[in-house]
Amino acid sequence: MKIILLGPPGAGKGTQAKSISRKYSIPHISTGDIFRQNISLSTELGKEAKKYIDKGQLVPDELTISIVKDRLLKDDCKKGFLLDGYPRTVKQAEALDGFLAEHGSRLNLALLIAVPREFILERMTGRRVCPSCGASYHIKFNPPQQEGICDVCGSTIIQREDDTPETVSNRLDIYDKQTQPLIDYYKDKNLLSVVDGTYSINNVFKQISERLDLIK
Ligand code: ADP
Ligand code: ADP
Ligand code: ZN
């Protein structure tokens, strides 16, 4: 199973990715999580990525592409993977196709979690994340069992610095311009599957499972 998750910021990609990864035993690869881990460790990559992330801009393609290639070469990706937040540009998508083809492989599915813009701001400003394990919560739609504490690992959950209304609006504009074209890109390759992301977290997971059970 080689799958990518598409959808605007706040669509629920990270939330669904955790459940998909568990149910289908494939590694969840989130470029956002990789960048955030590097930022918290103050690596060179983290310092470079932070310049863009803080402004809600995309990290340059060259850098992002090379990080994903390195990750996909790891052993745990041999039987499949779930990419969350990558690709975000046509150039990244082409690089992924090229890389997989070089390794005699290809994508099985591009899963779009469709959520209209009017839902996004509330999802993003209410989002809380675990800095240790990357779990995503929402103060209203998906609160942790104990307020402020990650259900999975017990760490204190935080609000992401780039989840402010101004940055969110910037990220949505960039999504429309740079990432939206990927919908046609994958439709043309007959890989696109769309689920309605406006329903509850459980309902969206059910829609996704129905699609994934077909290619398992
Ligand atoms: P969200 O969950 O809101 O969609 P992510 O956690 O996926 O956000 O990404 C956070 C930030 O990391 C993005 O706003 C962008 O700056 C950077 N980023 C993540 N993935 C990519 C990518 N594939 N290409 C360029 N920048 C990326
Ligand atoms: P993405 O990775 O696409 O940026 P997240 O998975 O982090 O999105 O979800 C964004 C926010 O919306 C989080 O606070 C999450 O708990 C919440 N959320 C995710 N899916 C749903 C849903 N189906 N209904 C309501 N809130 C949701
Ligand atoms: Zn955690």
Side-chain angles (χ1 to χ4, degrees), residues 53-150:
I53 293 178
D54 282 350
K55 288 184 243 165
Q57 294 169 356
L58 292 184
V59 176
D61 281 335
E62 310 280 87
L63 186 58
T64 309
I65 289 168
S66 79
I67 284 157
V68 170
K69 284 185 181 171
D70 283 351
R71 180 64 187 87
L72 292 179
L73 286 170
K74 300 244 162 82
D75 272 351
D76 64 340
C77 294
K78 288 215 172 93
K79 58 183 165 75
F81 55 77
L82 173 65
L83 277 168
D84 157 19
Y86 182 98
R88 268 175 149 95
T89 63
V90 170
K91 207 166 158 207
Q92 292 180 11
E94 288 168 350
L96 177 64
D97 284 345
F99 174 87
L100 292 174
E102 277 167 30
H103 291 83
S105 174
R106 58 180 196 85
L107 283 181
N108 301 110
L109 193 72
L111 198 60
L112 169 66
I113 305 180
V115 177
R117 208 172 167 129
E118 58 267 28
F119 285 77
I120 300 293
L121 188 65
E122 188 182 17
R123 286 203 185 175
M124 301 286 273
T125 50
R127 169 158 67 183
R128 298 294 180 272
V129 296
C130 174
S132 305
C133 75
S136 194
Y137 299 91
H138 192 281
I139 50 173
K140 183 163 144 196
F141 304 126
N142 184 27
Q145 284 171 0
Q146 199 185 334
E147 199 187 327
I149 305 292
C150 177

Side-chain angles (χ1 to χ4, degrees), residues 137-176:
Y137 299 91
H138 192 281
I139 50 173
K140 183 163 144 196
F141 304 126
N142 184 27
Q145 284 171 0
Q146 199 185 334
E147 199 187 327
I149 305 292
C150 177
D151 291 342
V152 182
C153 75
S155 302
T156 301
I157 59 176
I158 56 161
Q159 182 159 28
R160 269 169 51 175
E161 277 179 39
D162 60 343
D163 279 350
T164 60
E166 310 79 73
T167 315
V168 168
S169 137
N170 212 0
R171 285 153 71 196
L172 286 171
D173 289 343
I174 290 179
Y175 175 81
D176 288 346

